[in-house]
Amino acid sequence: MQLELEKAGQEYIRNRNELTLTIGLTQNGHRSIFAFRSPDAQYVTVPDERTLYEIGSFSKVYTTSVLSILVSQGVLSFTDTIADYFPDLNIRSEVGEITVFDLATHTSGLSGDGVVLARMISEAVSTEDPTRFTYYADYTKAHLDEELEAAELVRPRGSGWEYSRTGLSVLGHILEVASGQTFESLLKRHLGDPLGLVDTAYTLSTDQSSRLARGYYADGTPSPNWYWDIMLPQGGIRSTMADMLTFIEANLAHDDSELTTALRFAQETEFEWPAGSDPANTPYGSTAGFRQAIGWWNLDHGHGPVSQHAGATMSYQSFGALHRKSGTGLVAMTSSAENLQDVMEFPQMGQRLIDFAVDRASAVDGGSGVTP
């Protein structure tokens, strides 16, 4: 398996400029980590397990994991509605009826970027200046309120799947209102401290900032980082390979602790598709049987569900996946100024690697052993 990971990493970096890549595999608690950089790189250095990356939309899995924990503690319910937490807004009744479960499973009927965010993105992209792609930092609570008041559902609530960044941002704010804490405080209290995730955060210390991987243009100019306001819960977390593998291993645990039970509940609780409503567009074009869990995407290539998610920002991508039956997990993270050209190829590489690892693990002692 290690040879396959090494080969995949070398192939991925071969024709890409100023790119870093790190791939981590965990099988029943045994870790292997591989680090790469572009062969002719002048500016990037070889990453290690403590190098920080923006993880983009994999942040949604952390957010929905916090949700599952808070629900288990009675702080809120999956049946709570948007109207419960935004009582002063003038919103359509069908928007107000959207539940926390709908938001966590992308079945609310809200569109991907809404009206307000879509407008901000369009205006920024029209400048063709990446330094002005600051829409996530510029998008505040006032914009979210405006979004909800303008929202019209693209399909009835609960009738199908529509990946929604604005929906997860609404969910993140609901967690803050229900708990009376900021999202970063919730992340630290319920996941960071219990699991020892010392480098999983949005706000970085001086030391952490010095370990943040960067993308570089040909002239050596660093590509922009992305910054966040109220949309932080859906895409703004930074993390390391060490922390990401720890999070994956926590999701593979089999004990009956409150934390493990809540994490497992998020993986295993899936949206039940109404007849004829299977999603037309599955994550990264996969042909595997797709089921939307709470945050996680469950895809099955024949050995049972592999829970996974991908993420991308201006200069970074991430991929994390786990297969409970074989105790196998995989994480991949990359940085590059040209990153957004690979928003399909990178997660597809991650999916191929986790599927291969699961195939190998399932061939050894019925899936209970560690592959060589």
Side-chain angles (χ1 to χ4, degrees), residues 67-316:
L67 164 64
S68 188
I69 294 166
L70 293 180
V71 168
S72 74
Q73 295 175 351
V75 176
L76 75 166
S77 167
F78 283 115
T79 58
D80 289 353
T81 66
I82 286 180
D84 293 332
Y85 293 95
F86 294 85
D88 299 327
L89 296 187
N90 181 24
I91 57 179
R92 291 173 172 81
S93 59
E94 61 266 27
V95 174
E97 293 168 358
I98 292 170
T99 68
V100 165
F101 182 81
D102 299 331
L103 295 169
T105 55
H106 299 286
T107 57
S108 67
L110 293 172
S111 64
D113 292 324
V115 176
V116 180
L117 179 62
R119 182 182 68 236
M120 295 170 70
I121 292 174
S122 178
E123 291 171 352
V125 172
S126 70
T127 69
E128 299 183 356
D129 179 1
T131 65
R132 298 181 64 180
F133 294 0
T134 58
Y135 32 83
Y136 288 126
D138 298 337
Y139 191 99
T140 65
K141 171 62 163 55
H143 292 101
L144 189 65
D145 289 348
E146 181 185 355
E147 196 82 77
L148 287 173
E149 291 190 329
E152 296 183 14
L153 302 188
V154 297
R155 60 170 48 85
R157 176 180 75 85
S159 67
W161 187 76
E162 186 77 22
Y163 186 73
S164 179
R165 284 165 284 275
T166 51
L168 258 291
S169 300
V170 173
L171 176 61
H173 185 61
I174 286 175
L175 299 185
E176 293 182 318
V177 174
S179 66
Q181 300 178 57
T182 66
F183 175 73
E184 286 199 86
S185 296
L186 289 170
L187 179 66
K188 185 175 188 297
R189 177 179 178 181
H190 295 289
L191 291 173
D193 288 346
L195 298 179
L197 307 179
V198 296
D199 286 320
T200 299
Y202 168 64
T203 303
L204 302 183
S205 67
T206 300
D207 170 65
Q208 289 170 327
S209 295
S210 72
R211 292 187 276 118
L212 180 66
R214 297 297 302 271
Y216 288 91
Y217 297 115
D219 63 359
T221 303
S223 56
N225 289 102
W226 273 0
Y227 297 95
W228 304 78
D229 192 277
I230 199 164
M231 296 194 79
L232 163 62
Q234 75 88 28
I237 295 175
R238 292 87 179 261
S239 192
T240 62
M241 177 58 70
D243 275 10
M244 287 282 281
L245 286 174
T246 297
F247 179 68
I248 292 294
E249 288 166 353
N251 277 272
L252 287 168
H254 291 281
D255 63 83
D256 294 324
S257 69
E258 179 182 296
L259 176 56
T260 297
T261 300
L263 294 178
R264 186 165 58 245
F265 183 85
Q267 297 165 38
E268 296 177 348
T269 304
E270 300 175 329
F271 172 70
E272 294 293 333
W273 307 114
S277 71
D278 288 3
N281 299 310
T282 57
Y284 31 85
S286 172
T287 57
F290 166 55
R291 305 281 290 183
Q292 174 69 61
I294 297 173
W296 291 100
W297 298 333
N298 288 343
L299 287 91
D300 190 343
H301 278 130
H303 295 297
V306 174
S307 301
Q308 56 197 277
H309 210 290
T313 65
M314 175 67 72
S315 305
Y316 305 84

